[in-house]
Amino acid sequence: MALNSRSSISRRCENDCQEIHAKWDQLKYLGETLASRTPAERQQIKEMYRTMYHEDLVEHFQKSWVANPKNEMFNILYMWMLERHERDAMVARGAVEQSNVDYKALIEIYTHRKSNQLFFIKQAYFSKFKRHLDQDIISEPSHPYPRILVALAASHKSHHDDVSAHIAKCDAKRLYEAGKGSMGSIDESAILEMFSKRSIPQLKLAFSCYKHIYGHDYTKTLKSENSGEFEDSLRIVVNCIYKPFKYYSKMLNTSLKEADANKRLLTRMMLGSAEVGMEEVKSAFLKRYGKKLRDAICESLPEGDYRDFLVALTNAPISGHHLHVASAI
């Protein structure tokens, strides 16, 4: 039975490769086919395609994108077919190369990846760009985001994966005390120390404990009239950690409004949503904006292959890489 199943998967993969090769100029077909494949299936397609046609499928997409830089369909297909750590390396490089560094893109990577995943991202980054990611993220040390990113990077290096309810409750109280500074300001050093010593799941549990103890989300504390640049940056980071589905739904709404001028942001948001959990992001989007994500995509974008691919992604299979934290309050 298992042998028949493997044979069936192999035949399907071979058929996909034949169709991709035969219909290379039919982007609508490529998008509909590849959007419905899991990461493991996409990896099998790449390996089979190389065996059958002696050509790297990812490089093929990249060359097409370079030749057609204004066609976002080639870019999203290229990014979708990359290994996740390779895609993250590309996103990180694109973020730091901008005249105004896109810190949100970096925060998404450092908060949604496990320590071993971040290790491979840094390897891919160095291999492709001959630069160290941890050094590139501190190009503007005066900005709060780099200081938070440095703390998160230190946390990843400690490789502590165990989650403690006791520590989370203590950290929740520390968060509360750190917000009792003069004029409502946050004790930045206390926050950065905590971020540098706690894993992302541990921080997520601390934010959950904070709401349980004090009756409201920690982000509400960061919205005081006296909040400054650090508090505003920290609020984005906390939302990214504690409520990633809400974060992505809000960013998707923003990117759909700016789609004409910045499809690259929309591409990143859709691929990121597929990583953290598309079904949950769709639910958060519907709850917040009163419409389905696929309807919002169709309303915001003109008909075409790119729009069709995004709609297909709303039904993308689960990636299996989500960072979950069990409640231990």
Side-chain angles (χ1 to χ4, degrees):
M1 189 73 174
L3 184 61
N4 289 335
S5 177
R6 287 196 295 269
S7 177
S8 175
I9 293 172
S10 180
R11 283 197 303 272
R12 180 189 180 190
C13 182
E14 186 174 342
N15 289 337
D16 282 344
C17 291
Q18 290 173 343
E19 291 294 311
I20 290 170
H21 189 72
K23 300 180 180 179
W24 181 254
D25 58 344
Q26 299 180 33
L27 293 180
K28 180 180 177 63
Y29 171 80
L30 297 180
E32 290 177 346
T33 300
L34 296 173
S36 64
R37 301 298 183 259
T38 66
E41 289 169 340
R42 297 199 300 273
Q43 180 64 26
Q44 290 171 344
I45 288 172
K46 288 187 290 185
E47 293 172 357
M48 179 72 76
Y49 194 91
R50 186 183 295 110
T51 299
M52 294 173 64
Y53 301 107
H54 308 289
E55 186 173 17
D56 189 304
L57 186 57
V58 173
E59 288 185 5
H60 204 356
F61 281 127
Q62 184 182 27
K63 289 176 183 177
S64 298
W65 174 44
V66 171
N68 304 273
K70 293 184 178 181
N71 190 336
E72 186 62 18
M73 183 61 176
F74 281 119
N75 176 48
I76 197 169
L77 283 172
Y78 166 58
M79 297 294 278
W80 181 242
M81 292 302 289
L82 284 172
E83 291 290 301
R84 185 176 54 177
H85 63 280
E86 296 171 331
R87 180 165 65 245
D88 285 342
M90 292 291 294
V91 168
R93 187 59 188 162
V96 300
E97 280 186 325
Q98 295 187 32
S99 54
N100 293 316
V101 178
D102 187 349
Y103 287 115
K104 287 184 179 179
L106 298 172
I107 291 295
E108 289 157 17
I109 292 171
Y110 275 78
T111 57
H112 295 150
R113 301 297 180 252
K114 296 178 181 179
S115 298
N116 63 328
Q117 294 165 346
L118 193 59
F119 173 79
F120 288 114
I121 293 167
K122 293 176 183 179
Q123 277 194 329
Y125 190 90
F126 182 78
S127 177
K128 190 168 186 64
F129 306 111
K130 300 300 182 286
R131 299 179 64 87
H132 294 284
L133 179 56
D134 281 348
Q135 294 177 2
D136 282 351
I137 64 175
I138 55 174
S139 56
E140 296 180 83
S142 61
H143 196 285
Y145 275 128
R147 299 199 291 277
I148 297 173
L149 281 165
V150 168
L152 291 172
S155 170
H156 278 291
K157 289 176 181 176
S158 62
H159 297 287
H160 40 234
D161 294 325
D162 293 336
V163 176
S164 165
H166 173 70
I167 291 176
K169 291 175 183 176
C170 291
D171 284 346
K173 293 175 182 177
R174 289 180 64 198
L175 289 170
Y176 179 79
E177 292 297 325
K180 294 170 65 175
S182 61
M183 301 299 291
S185 62
I186 298 294
D187 185 344
E188 180 178 334
S189 62
I191 298 298
L192 294 180
E193 180 186 14
M194 182 185 300
F195 272 50
S196 69
K197 294 181 177 179
R198 302 290 186 257
S199 67
I200 297 300
Q202 185 67 58
L203 288 172
K204 190 170 185 177
L205 189 57
F207 300 139
S208 181
C209 284
Y210 187 97
K211 183 174 183 178
H212 182 74
I213 295 171
Y214 300 107
H216 59 82
D217 286 336
Y218 177 57
T219 51
K220 183 178 180 180
T221 302
L222 302 174
K223 285 184 178 179
S224 68
E225 294 180 3
N226 298 309
S227 63
E229 197 173 31
F230 179 77
E231 287 81 6
D232 291 341
S233 300
L234 181 60
R235 189 171 69 251
I236 298 296
V237 176
V238 172
N239 277 328
C240 218
I241 293 172
Y242 184 47
K243 295 184 176 180
F245 312 129
K246 183 178 178 180
Y247 168 85
Y248 273 98
S249 68
K250 188 174 181 179
M251 289 295 292
L252 275 169
N253 185 61
T254 299
S255 61
L256 283 168
K257 290 179 179 178
E258 301 174 358
D260 288 341
N262 190 4
K263 285 189 174 66
R264 200 61 47 83
L265 174 62
L266 180 54
T267 290
R268 192 182 91 228
M269 289 302 103
M270 286 298 294
L271 297 183
S273 296
E275 287 285 355
V276 301
M278 183 62 76
E279 290 301 315
E280 293 88 344
V281 172
K282 287 193 298 183
S283 295
F285 191 93
L286 178 62
K287 182 178 180 181
R288 187 177 183 90
Y289 302 106
K291 67 174 67 174
K292 293 181 178 179
L293 176 57
R294 63 177 295 144
D295 292 340
I297 292 170
C298 291
E299 291 173 9
S300 302
L301 296 173
E303 291 185 16
D305 302 323
Y306 180 65
R307 190 181 82 172
D308 290 342
F309 185 74
L310 296 189
V311 170
L313 275 185
T314 64
N315 296 313
I318 298 173
S319 69
H321 297 304
H322 309 162
L323 259 176
H324 291 301
V325 183
S327 175
I329 298 174

